[in-house]
Amino acid sequence: MPSYAIIIPAAALCLLPACAAVVLLRLRKALRAVGPAIEKFSGKIRLQFIGVILASPLLVSLLFIRSFDPLSTFAIAGTGVIGFYIACQDLFFSRYCGVYARGIVWNGSWIEFVSVESWRRLDPYSLSLLLTGREKRIFAFPDSALLDRVSAVLARLMPPEEYADGLS
């Protein structure tokens, strides 16, 4: 067996715990940055991500059994690592979704209010935040009542503004 067939999957398997540690560090940093909770949302654990976490090491371990060319080996190992990272991020952050004193945590990401230039509701289920540097983040909510509560908290902190959807 060529050396890349051992090195790439071994490195990928070593990266899996490192990915989990990075996500935990990002979560810790996010919770420190956003402060105490104003309103927490029920974080629903999506079972497909548990499946991805279980399947990712199996996908990478398959490379020890089956021989592929170097590019395919790298792609399969990379897919396993990236899938594991995304699944960990969603699972770890889902428990802490909500509006906090200095920011919002939603679906694996967080935004501090100091970096928000303006915000607006796009429709009954989505919210658009325009950040400094003209970056736009869109949050989709499962029900309009939840978005009403988030909008009320945001309106107390900063009034909604209209902004152009075009590129600047």
Side-chain angles (χ1 to χ4, degrees), residues 84-141:
F84 187 84
Y85 178 82
I86 292 169
C88 283
Q89 183 166 308
D90 193 87
L91 284 175
F92 293 165
F93 274 79
S94 68
R95 185 172 169 210
Y96 298 99
C97 291
V99 178
Y100 291 78
R102 295 186 302 268
I104 185 169
V105 176
W106 185 252
N107 285 346
S109 67
W110 79 92
I111 295 176
E112 294 179 63
F113 292 135
V114 295
S115 65
V116 176
E117 286 184 12
S118 61
W119 66 276
R120 70 177 176 152
R121 282 181 80 154
L122 297 176
D123 56 45
Y125 300 100
S126 59
L127 176 75
S128 177
L129 300 171
L130 183 66
L131 306 179
T132 54
R134 307 303 292 175
E135 179 186 355
K136 188 189 306 185
R137 293 270 183 97
I138 297 176
F139 293 108
F141 293 84

Side-chain angles (χ1 to χ4, degrees), residues 22-103:
V22 166
V23 171
L24 285 173
L25 289 173
R26 286 187 69 234
L27 176 62
R28 186 174 171 203
K29 177 182 175 186
L31 292 177
R32 264 200 241 123
V34 296
I38 294 174
E39 179 164 348
K40 294 194 71 168
F41 313 139
S42 62
K44 180 180 155 191
I45 293 178
R46 292 181 271 192
L47 295 177
Q48 71 264 26
F49 287 114
I50 293 172
V52 171
I53 285 177
L54 296 174
S56 293
L58 296 175
L59 178 66
V60 174
S61 297
L62 175 70
L63 295 171
F64 290 116
I65 299 168
R66 175 83 162 77
S67 182
F68 293 99
D69 62 286
L71 188 58
S72 297
T73 301
F74 186 77
I76 292 169
T79 301
V81 171
I82 290 171
F84 187 84
Y85 178 82
I86 292 169
C88 283
Q89 183 166 308
D90 193 87
L91 284 175
F92 293 165
F93 274 79
S94 68
R95 185 172 169 210
Y96 298 99
C97 291
V99 178
Y100 291 78
R102 295 186 302 268

Side-chain angles (χ1 to χ4, degrees), residues 136-167:
K136 188 189 306 185
R137 293 270 183 97
I138 297 176
F139 293 108
F141 293 84
D143 64 7
S144 60
L146 181 60
L147 183 54
D148 290 340
R149 294 194 317 263
V150 172
S151 295
V153 171
L154 285 173
R156 277 185 274 145
L157 298 171
M158 66 182 79
E161 296 178 17
E162 294 296 320
Y163 56 85
D165 285 330
L167 298 173

